[in-house]
Amino acid sequence: MAERYLEGGRIINTFGIRGEVKIEPWCDSAEFLRRFKTLYIDNQPRKVRSARVHKGMLIALLEGVEDVNGAMLLKNKVVFFDRGDARLPKNSFFLADVIGCTVVDETGETVGTVTEVLTLPAQNVYVVQGEREHSIPAVPEFVLDTDLERRVIRVHLIEGM
């Protein structure tokens, strides 16, 4: 079963003196994270009173944080969001959902299991552990089909992969 709460980023610092925090996004972008009305820190919901994107970071004013001292208490905390609050484009999914999926080749032969997703500048790469480790770029040339209901990813492998 998919995790209800997903990591959205980390509070890296305070911002200004009003109690705002600067959040480094671990998801697609700060803009994606800005859409959430509630974020979760230490398993506690925090209403987002205001949020804006600044230099690739999310600047947020959270309920219960009244000044810079309150914001300092949140520094280095991981921020989560509820997957039920997310609106993804059609045929999109969270990278966390492919971890643990079985990977098969075009003939149906099992290659292994996705153990990690590397988010690299050019594209994401699925790390697949089987008889040996495979690094498979998550692009249509190599990832032919992703069936999250069955938890199976069908791939095209080339020599050296």
Side-chain angles (χ1 to χ4, degrees):
M1 189 167 116
E3 294 285 329
R4 177 175 175 187
Y5 299 101
L6 298 172
E7 292 181 350
R10 181 175 60 90
I11 297 173
I12 60 170
N13 214 340
T14 61
F15 191 87
I17 59 170
R18 297 183 327 135
E20 291 177 305
V21 293
K22 183 188 289 189
I23 302 172
E24 173 187 44
W26 291 349
C27 48
D28 283 358
S29 67
E31 187 60 43
F32 175 79
L33 202 53
R34 187 181 71 80
R35 298 178 194 150
F36 293 95
K37 305 241 184 290
T38 304
L39 295 173
Y40 298 82
I41 302 169
D42 293 334
N43 296 317
Q44 299 298 312
R46 296 278 188 132
K47 296 279 184 210
V48 179
R49 293 168 39 195
S50 69
R52 67 187 185 284
V53 176
H54 178 71
K55 297 183 179 179
M57 301 288 173
L58 182 69
I59 307 300
L61 185 59
L62 303 173
E63 181 179 72
V65 181
E66 303 304 323
D67 56 25
V68 70
N69 294 328
M72 279 298 288
L73 296 174
L74 298 177
K75 191 172 176 182
N76 293 317
K77 298 275 186 180
V78 175
V79 174
F80 293 81
F81 62 88
D82 187 329
R83 79 168 48 240
D85 295 338
R87 302 291 167 251
L88 294 178
K90 188 176 168 86
N91 297 324
S92 294
F93 50 85
F94 294 110
L95 293 179
D97 293 342
V98 300
I99 307 263
C101 283
T102 300
V103 176
V104 299
D105 66 15
E106 294 139 306
T107 68
E109 187 79 24
T110 299
V111 176
T113 302
V114 178
T115 58
E116 184 180 5
V117 178
L118 305 176
T119 54
L120 304 177
Q123 75 268 328
N124 295 330
V125 174
Y126 296 164
V127 178
V128 178
Q129 190 63 51
E131 287 184 21
R132 66 180 190 86
E133 186 175 275
H134 299 269
S135 295
I136 303 172
V139 295
E141 182 179 347
F142 301 113
V143 177
L144 306 175
D145 182 55
T146 301
D147 184 341
L148 292 178
E149 282 188 26
R150 289 183 39 232
R151 311 261 318 129
V152 174
I153 298 171
R154 194 168 56 89
V155 299
H156 168 71
L157 296 178
I158 59 173
E159 192 173 326
M161 194 180 266

